[in-house]
Amino acid sequence: MCRPCLPTVPADVVIRDATERDLPAISDLSNAMVTTSTIAWTESPETLAQREAWFEHQQVDGNPVLVADLDGTVVGYATYADFRDSHKWPGYRFTIEHTIHVREDHWGRDIGRALLDALIERGRVAGKHVIVAAVDSANVGSIHFHERLGFVEVARMPETGHKFGAWLELVLLQRIIDPGGRR
Ligand SMILES: CC(C)(COP(=O)(O)OP(=O)(O)OC[C@H]1O[C@@H](n2cnc3c(N)ncnc32)[C@H](O)[C@@H]1OP(=O)(O)O)[C@@H](O)C(=O)NCCC(=O)NCCS
């Protein structure tokens, strides 16, 4: 089978649903580069309590939270939520936006691909049509990663963010996850 058709998961890694016990590791992953990069558009690391509240919200909304588990250690996570508020604007209900983080000492091992492949499959099963990546334009590695996974750049939005005293540009990439899908 061709590589894009066959989800690849490194042999020692399990992709599974997160539990409350994984939240400190997820929070650490999310905070890892907050103070040193513009990957995440905040200058304040989150608290564990904020992550716990977020997890509860994700469960109520039925949104998946997946982790990459390497011998009992969480080395990555991926999740999605509405692209825009689909309660207020139901027309957006088939479109999701994801977040993905892999621990830096495990980059380049196909863990990001395995997480995103699994997340996209969950989205497809949940009836979603389009997945969106919103990436800081300086995060060229993430842009390349998404392009390798079939995302296409659809917009650049200059000066839509601000961090470390400078304007930031947002790059939007999207992928249709159920080609030909009709509603
Ligand atoms: C982006 C990120 C999730 C990639 O995870 P990863 O596990 O290193 O990626 P993989 O090993 O699964 O790579 C999958 C593909 O993307 C490519 N890729 C990954 N990182 C890349 C980079 N920095 N530059 C170029 N290509 C890259 C790989 O070469 C591979 O392509 P190929 O197999 O077709 O050659 C990871 O670097 C990360 O967590 N970064 C910090 C957080 C972040 O930027 N998240 C996204 C915010 S929008």
Side-chain angles (χ1 to χ4, degrees):
M1 247 193 264
C2 62
R3 183 166 185 179
C5 307
L6 184 67
T8 55
V9 184
D12 50 353
V13 171
V14 173
I15 306 296
R16 61 168 174 80
D17 286 292
T19 70
E20 283 183 9
R21 284 212 305 270
D22 300 316
L23 297 181
I26 290 175
S27 196
D28 287 348
L29 280 164
S30 181
N31 283 336
M33 280 176 273
V34 164
T35 58
T36 55
S37 81
T38 53
I39 287 175
W41 289 4
T42 174
E43 296 183 26
S44 318
E46 68 178 30
T47 63
L48 183 55
Q50 287 171 323
R51 181 56 63 173
E52 286 167 351
W54 167 87
F55 189 60
E56 204 177 313
H57 232 92
Q58 285 293 76
Q59 291 191 310
V60 169
D61 288 349
N63 292 327
V65 180
L66 303 179
V67 292
D69 182 323
L70 174 67
D71 291 333
T73 301
V74 170
V75 294
Y77 83 96
T79 185
Y80 69 64
D82 278 357
F83 169 58
R84 302 191 74 193
D85 185 342
S86 70
H87 297 294
K88 190 170 180 189
W89 307 107
Y92 287 108
R93 69 190 177 282
F94 300 119
T95 305
I96 49 177
E97 179 182 339
H98 69 281
T99 302
I100 181 165
H101 284 264
V102 173
R103 215 173 75 186
E104 192 171 0
D105 55 347
H106 286 78
W107 288 0
R109 292 192 54 219
D110 270 343
I111 294 173
R113 180 192 293 278
L115 277 166
L116 198 43
D117 280 348
L119 191 75
I120 286 172
E121 188 51 31
R122 292 293 183 90
R124 195 178 289 125
V125 168
K128 304 302 180 184
H129 184 55
V130 167
I131 187 165
V132 175
V135 186
D136 175 60
S137 65
N139 192 358
V140 176
S142 176
I143 293 171
H144 285 146
F145 166 76
H146 283 98
E147 288 174 342
R148 296 301 295 160
L149 273 94
F151 286 68
V152 176
E153 182 179 322
V154 288
R156 277 187 183 246
M157 303 175 72
E159 302 190 15
T160 46
H162 197 266
K163 184 171 179 178
F164 302 150
W167 293 117
L168 303 174
E169 180 180 55
L170 188 70
V171 179
L172 296 177
L173 303 100
Q174 75 170 63
R175 177 174 154 186
I176 293 176
I177 63 176
D178 67 337
R182 297 193 186 281
R183 300 290 183 288

